[in-house]
Amino acid sequence: MKHLIDSSDLSLAEESAVIELALDIISHRDAYREKCRGRKLATLFYEPSTRTRLSFTAAMMELGGNVLGFADAASSSVSKGETVTDTVRVVSCFADIIAMRHFKEGAPLAASHYATVPVINAGDGSHAHPTQTLTDLLTIRREKGRIDNLTIGFCGDLRYGRTVHSLLRALSRHSGIEVVLISPEELRLPEYILHNVCERHNMPVSEVRTMEEVMPRLDVLYMTRVQKERFTDEAQFERLRDTYILTPEKLSSAKSDMVVLHPLPRVNEITQSVDSDPRAAYFRQVENGKFVRMALICKLLEEADATMKPAAAQQHENGCRCEAMHCSNPVCITATEDVAPLFHRDENGTLRCAYCEASADAEAK
Ligand code: NCD
């Protein structure tokens, strides 16, 4: 693992090593206070974030390191027209590791081809969010004592919710996981995740339209916000925004040890009256995010110190180059930046963009 762009960049062994390290950090906090003394983390956030950016910042500070960067693109050279790939080449001269959030899908992958330091994807469009996944896995592990043999319900915006996409990718490698997808038709999980992640790994998946009908079966309920900023049709957002609201009444049919997760921010999909229920783990989940990011930073820096080549640019390991083709996704980084077009074939023979996983032809993602 040189960079963390999506959950599958970590082998199962590496994922487990990060979680074990996070658990060790939780129980021996003082032992890690000088771990990154003299090292610098750059947080390049092209899209709004409170918890993820502050979580990375707090993680690096707790390791004794320093943090630089920007919290919105308007205050960086992007406003002058600088490309992501140029920005990371510049930032590689100032920082030892980069955490990037971008509204364009595939931007962190493109950045990783040019950076000479590790790049962490802190969320790209509606595509992926692997550090939230590590947060979710650590929380499941701490709350349930295991990350296998669980029935997990995903509720809300499964179409645009990147945290769901990355978590499903990670869970598909664990054994005994059964997934229940709870969403309106318009916000169903993208087909490419259903086929290339769930079906490919034989992870049982069922789909329902209400949370009530599955509540008693669930070990974990993963609630999500309807992602207003990803909608092109405002009327559709208005129609769907209140589809699911978790209340104490709905929770009354759940197992007494079920765990409610939410990557936050919450809008109205969980009422505040649920917060005092011991099953509501979403604020504990936030703190786990800091510990797991501390572990990830340690691991990536360790690996970079041992292996990183001086010029990582132009190492297109994630797919085959094809100048003649273009990605069909208008919010892919390749639509606006001059990065090498890369594609790979999935299990069904569909040619997919290596940056955002949209199909190469005109068919919808
Ligand atoms: C999530 C995200 O940014 O995708 N938030 C987070 O990182 N904790 C979820 C969301 O914004 O709904």
Side-chain angles (χ1 to χ4, degrees), residues 19 22-23 26-27 29 135-147 259 281 284-289 291-292:
I19 288 170
L23 291 168
I26 291 167
S27 32
R29 290 184 59 178
T135 303
D136 302 337
L137 294 175
L138 175 61
T139 308
I140 294 171
R141 168 71 190 277
R142 294 188 77 192
E143 299 284 329
K144 302 298 297 177
R146 62 184 195 279
I147 315 177
V259 175
R284 298 193 288 277
Q285 192 178 356
V286 175
E287 198 180 13
N288 287 331
F291 295 126
V292 95

Side-chain angles (χ1 to χ4, degrees), residues 211-338:
M211 61 169 103
E212 290 87 333
E213 63 195 282
V214 287
M215 194 69 88
R217 290 212 290 126
L218 302 178
D219 299 306
V220 176
L221 173 60
Y222 194 97
M223 294 296 296
T224 61
R225 165 181 78 88
V226 179
Q227 307 276 302
K228 180 173 192 231
E229 66 277 28
R230 312 276 177 226
F231 281 73
T232 43
D233 176 352
E234 207 181 320
Q236 189 187 47
F237 167 73
E238 289 300 330
R239 203 171 58 250
L240 298 170
R241 58 183 295 173
D242 297 329
T243 312
Y244 301 109
I245 300 180
L246 181 64
T247 59
E249 294 69 46
K250 289 184 188 147
L251 209 46
S252 65
S253 67
K255 290 182 183 169
S256 58
D257 63 348
M258 189 189 79
V259 175
V260 182
L261 301 183
H262 190 309
L264 302 181
R266 137 177 81 182
V267 182
N268 64 344
E269 55 281 349
I270 304 179
T271 60
Q272 287 201 12
S273 45
V274 172
D275 297 356
S276 55
D277 190 300
R279 293 169 288 190
Y282 28 92
F283 291 113
R284 298 193 288 277
Q285 192 178 356
V286 175
E287 198 180 13
N288 287 331
K290 180 186 69 178
F291 295 126
V292 95
R293 289 184 177 99
M294 289 171 77
L296 179 68
I297 290 168
C298 291
K299 289 276 182 205
L300 282 171
L301 285 178
E302 230 168 68
E303 167 130 4
D305 290 346
T307 63
M308 206 89 177
K309 297 179 210 112
Q314 311 302 330
Q315 290 176 19
H316 302 302
E317 291 159 354
N318 308 70
C320 60
R321 204 176 166 126
C322 186
E323 299 294 350
M325 285 185 346
H326 298 285
C327 174
S328 60
N329 176 8
V331 292
C332 178
I333 187 71
T334 57
T336 43
E337 290 211 12
D338 186 19

Side-chain angles (χ1 to χ4, degrees), residues 51-52 101 122 129 132 162-163 225 227 229 262-265:
R51 121 208 41 249
T52 305
R101 169 167 288 194
H129 194 349
Q132 182 63 44
R162 57 194 172 193
T163 65
R225 165 181 78 88
Q227 307 276 302
E229 66 277 28
H262 190 309
L264 302 181

